[in-house]
Amino acid sequence: MAVRIQAADFDAGAEIAALTAGRDDIGAVVSFTGLVRGGEVSAMTLEHYPGMTERALEQIEAEANRRWPLKASLVVHRVGRLEPGANIVLVLTASEGRHAAFEAASFLMDYLKTDAPFWKSEERADGSTSWVDAREADDSAKTRWES
Amino acid sequence: MRILYFAWVRERAGAAEETVSPPAGLTTVGQLADWLATRSPGHAAAFADRRRLRVAINQEQARFDDPVGPGDEVAFFPPMTGG
């Protein structure tokens, strides 16, 4: 279990290799990478609440480990200004079989979107910026884990 | 008491952080928000629509009817948009 907040880019392949190195008890690794979409958006800046962010992500990760028999997990979230195509977030989950890894990765992303203190500001080609509103779809994605 | 603001709440309040000494008798986050809103027109704008605000006390999500005390770190921000 680990969480990292960083401005620097990450290498998903290298992170998977590090997570599984020297282990023979892992049968499945699921990797999710979120990227900045282009189109109208020319850049995105991620702000966060240092201290609370790490704490919130650790709580979400601990909850995933309570719900599923994970062998290992990692959350890396970038902050600062990011351009289209750039990596934003990496979630890795490792378990004996695929089901726990798939479900835990999905759970981690759903909670991370609504419960970790990050805020996105979008820049457009004309130089205007605006804060991204929270999406109701993200809230309802989370509620499916609450039953 | 240490107050933190993030995203558009920070922009409207005109500060990322401030240390304040609220009047005695102020016991909840909601009362604190009402008092902070009187500090400047920017603060008033930041706190105008409480339904759009979220709060954390000592880095844990909290509610407007939760109690606050002098040693607490209280943060106000919009709903989170990570991932």
Side-chain angles (χ1 to χ4, degrees):
Chain A
M1 278 176 53
V3 305
R4 284 196 338 246
I5 314 297
Q6 60 189 45
D9 196 11
F10 55 78
D11 178 339
E15 298 293 352
I16 293 171
L19 197 79
T20 56
R23 306 274 300 253
D24 64 1
D25 58 336
I26 292 171
V29 176
V30 165
S31 162
F32 173 86
T33 304
L35 301 92
V36 180
R37 271 195 309 271
E40 289 180 8
V41 175
S42 55
M44 183 175 270
T45 299
L46 276 132
E47 176 172 332
H48 78 122
Y49 181 174
M52 180 173 171
T53 315
E54 290 80 357
R55 183 182 246 190
L57 290 176
E58 281 163 8
Q59 287 169 354
I60 294 166
E61 198 182 33
E63 180 59 28
N65 276 270
R66 264 192 295 279
R67 291 182 181 221
W68 291 279
L70 300 181
K71 298 292 185 185
S73 56
L74 174 69
V75 177
V76 181
H77 205 299
R78 296 182 69 192
V79 292
R81 189 173 179 277
L82 302 172
E83 295 184 343
N87 293 323
I88 305 176
V89 59
L90 174 70
V91 166
L92 299 183
T93 52
S95 55
E96 278 184 21
R98 69 187 183 282
H99 294 299
F102 272 127
E103 288 184 14
S106 193
F107 171 91
L108 282 167
M109 276 309 302
D110 284 348
Y111 270 78
L112 185 154
K113 283 203 163 264
T114 57
D115 285 29
F118 292 101
W119 300 276
K120 289 190 187 110
S121 166
E122 290 178 343
E123 278 172 48
R124 286 178 195 74
D126 63 4
S128 66
T129 63
S130 60
W131 291 98
V132 175
D133 282 326
R135 295 173 63 228
E136 216 162 282
D138 289 335
D139 280 333
S140 55
K142 190 182 84 167
T143 56
R144 70 191 164 117
W145 302 104
E146 286 168 4
S147 55
Chain B
M1 189 183 291
R2 187 168 178 229
I3 311 292
L4 303 176
Y5 305 107
F6 292 96
W8 58 258
V9 184
R10 166 178 56 74
E11 291 178 346
R12 290 186 188 182
E17 179 177 345
E18 51 191 354
T19 301
V20 301
S21 302
L26 188 157
T27 58
T28 68
V29 172
Q31 290 168 343
L32 173 66
D34 288 343
W35 179 74
L36 289 168
T38 65
R39 287 172 69 82
S40 76
H43 285 78
F47 286 100
D49 186 356
R50 199 175 283 183
R51 289 167 307 175
R52 297 186 64 203
L53 290 181
R54 299 291 179 271
V55 61
I57 302 174
N58 299 325
Q59 306 189 352
E60 294 281 350
Q61 286 193 64
R63 300 185 333 185
F64 278 84
D65 54 5
D66 282 335
V68 281
D72 287 333
E73 174 178 300
V74 185
F76 295 94
F77 43 77
M80 307 167 188
T81 54

